[in-house]
Amino acid sequence: MAQAMDRPAPPVTRFAPSPNGQLHLGHALSAIVAHDLARQGGGRFLFRIEDIDGPRSRPELADAFRRDLAWLGLEWEEVPAQSTRLASYAAAAEALKARGLLYPCTCTRSEIEAAGARPGLEGLIYPGTCKHRPPDPSRPAAWRLDAAKALAETGPLVWEDALAGPQAVDLSGLGDVVLVRKDLPASYHLAVTLDDAADGVTLVTRGADLFTASHVHRTLQALLGLPVPRWHHHRLLTGPDGEKLAKRRGSPALAQRREGGEDGRMLAAQLRLQQLGIGT
Ligand code: GLU
Ligand code: ZN
């Protein structure tokens, strides 16, 4: 049946937590936003485990995550975890290397600090030390995107955030980000971009703390010929002191609240109101 011309295609959203620690309230909000945007548009809500973070990844947490989502009253479709997709990351990285868009970087964190790196939007901006020297094959190397070369190839790019509006791609606050880690065939940026494309995600929903990462992801989509989704970066929850709620600062894990007998659907309802600026 033909779709009415003015009706947008049903969105495909996702919640993609890393099993490095238990889910907390901020994750609950991300999952609810993604879930509700999919449901409101008659689309699909996907759940993906981002489990390539080597030693920090604890596979047993995935089951607790599923229980947390069900407790919040959400229904989802689970798509393959990142650990099953390493070959696709490696293939994309090889293609970018073959085009001269990546360069190896053997710097350690302390070397980057010692090289006088400036603070950027996400930690230090890599000062480009390895871009201008021959690789040292005796040291493990990460591979960085040559941002200047990449953008010279793509030309100006834009992306669209549902709340913040159109954004011109600007990598100057990020520098040459790592796309292939020393210990893994991909970094977060490469893996998530490929996964969202492979899963057919059309509306990338996540917290505003990952807003700047979308500049990198949009660049990768252009370089790799991937479909371009829209984004929805939601407001982050803040504690009573106005500080971002992070698991590190002792906000209770969802699993703890669930096991303590709290009503998860009620909590979800409160988070929805809070996101609308109603309620506390
Ligand atoms: N795995 C990331 C995290 O748990 C989220 C990735 C994303 O939504 O793009 O922080
Ligand atoms: Zn380096």
Side-chain angles (χ1 to χ4, degrees), residues 94-203:
E94 286 314 311
L96 293 173
K97 284 181 199 173
R99 286 158 63 187
L101 291 164
L102 308 188
Y103 62 89
C105 170
T106 54
C107 296
T108 60
R109 223 195 132 66
S110 45
E111 282 170 335
I112 294 173
E113 281 162 14
R118 288 179 295 122
L121 296 170
E122 283 183 7
L124 296 176
I125 298 179
Y126 181 65
T129 323
C130 288
K131 189 171 163 178
H132 310 292
R133 68 180 175 194
D136 174 353
S138 70
R139 297 179 67 190
W143 289 78
R144 291 182 180 274
L145 178 68
D146 184 332
K149 197 163 176 188
L151 291 182
E153 204 166 287
T154 63
L157 296 170
V158 289
W159 57 279
E160 171 92 16
D161 183 84
L163 302 180
Q167 307 292 319
V169 165
D170 179 0
L171 297 176
S172 59
L174 296 159
D176 292 350
V177 296
V178 170
L179 291 190
V180 180
R181 285 170 35 163
K182 285 180 185 169
D183 56 339
L184 285 175
S187 68
Y188 159 68
H189 294 304
L190 183 60
V192 82
T193 303
L194 291 167
D195 287 348
D196 283 339
D199 294 336
V201 172
T202 61
L203 181 60

Side-chain angles (χ1 to χ4, degrees), residues 181-262:
R181 285 170 35 163
K182 285 180 185 169
D183 56 339
L184 285 175
S187 68
Y188 159 68
H189 294 304
L190 183 60
V192 82
T193 303
L194 291 167
D195 287 348
D196 283 339
D199 294 336
V201 172
T202 61
L203 181 60
V204 174
T205 51
R206 57 184 168 218
D209 52 338
L210 286 168
F211 192 92
T212 54
S214 301
H215 290 292
V216 177
H217 304 173
R218 178 67 187 90
T219 307
L220 290 175
Q221 285 151 6
L223 292 173
L224 294 167
L226 301 173
V228 181
R230 291 179 79 228
W231 281 262
H232 179 114
H233 294 93
H234 63 78
R235 278 202 297 140
L236 298 179
L237 289 175
T238 48
D241 53 0
E243 262 206 276
K244 188 182 140 189
L245 264 197
K247 49 193 162 189
R248 287 165 216 93
R249 299 205 195 95
S251 95
L254 299 184
Q256 229 173 307
R257 304 173 77 133
R258 171 165 56 77
E259 284 157 12
E262 191 174 331

Side-chain angles (χ1 to χ4, degrees), residues 9-55:
V12 180
T13 68
R14 88 300 193 275
F15 173 56
S18 305
N20 301 336
Q22 293 178 314
L23 299 187
H24 60 103
L25 274 183
H27 291 109
L29 179 65
S30 283
I32 290 165
V33 168
H35 169 275
D36 290 3
L37 286 169
R39 291 290 172 266
Q40 285 154 15
R44 296 162 61 209
F45 168 55
L46 312 181
F47 170 59
R48 182 176 67 230
I49 301 278
E50 305 218 316
D51 60 346
I52 58 166
D53 200 356

